């Protein structure tokens, strides 16, 4: 799984402790997409917003020009995080694999 050349994974650490990770291009059906996992003990502490914000700021270092976020339409936490970082929902998006999925895109910098 981790040997896929297009996949990029970054650990999210605080005080030498891993609190989560962010991946990019893990799902071929959703190109240019990120995934974000924060450990249960660390949720609602701002790690997701901080990590995703840093990823957006440093995207050019990794040659990334397009960033998309996909989630369940009721996942208010990540939806609010994406919106606060400038992501815009694609209103006409329809996922053939998940009728409850929504898509957000970050504008090019």
């Amino acid at each position: 799984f981790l040997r896929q050349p297009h996949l990029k994974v970054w650990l999210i650490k605080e005080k030498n402790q891993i609190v989560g990770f962010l991946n990019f291009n893990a799902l071929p059906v959703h190109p240019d997409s990120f995934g974000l996992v924060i450990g249960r003990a660390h949720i609602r502490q701002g790690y997701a917003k901080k990590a995703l914000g840093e990823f957006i700021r440093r995207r050019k270092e990794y040659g990334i020009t397009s960033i998309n976020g996909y989630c369940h339409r009721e996942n208010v936490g990540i939806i609010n995080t994406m919106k606060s970082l400038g992501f815009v929902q694609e209103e006409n998006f329809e996922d053939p694999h998940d009728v409850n999925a929504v898509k957000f895109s970050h504008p090019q910098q």
Side-chain angles (χ1 to χ4, degrees), residues 89-95 103:
Q89 184 172 356
E90 294 190 14
E91 297 296 335
N92 296 323
F93 172 74
E94 293 182 20
D95 187 327
K103 177 182 179 182

Side-chain angles (χ1 to χ4, degrees), residues 34-97:
F34 73 90
L36 190 57
V37 175
I38 303 296
R40 188 175 304 274
H42 306 286
I43 60 173
R44 294 187 180 92
Q45 296 179 35
Y47 292 113
K49 184 174 181 177
K50 183 178 177 183
L52 186 54
E54 182 72 14
F55 176 69
I56 292 166
R57 282 187 290 283
R58 298 181 64 184
R59 69 205 273 173
K60 290 183 182 178
E61 291 178 41
Y62 307 110
I64 295 169
T65 58
S66 176
I67 302 175
N68 299 311
Y70 300 83
C71 66
H72 191 280
R73 70 180 67 258
E74 295 177 2
N75 189 340
V76 177
I78 194 62
I79 288 171
N80 288 339
T81 297
M82 287 190 288
K83 285 180 177 179
S84 74
L85 292 169
F87 282 79
V88 178
Q89 184 172 356
E90 294 190 14
E91 297 296 335
N92 296 323
F93 172 74
E94 293 182 20
D95 187 327
H97 306 286

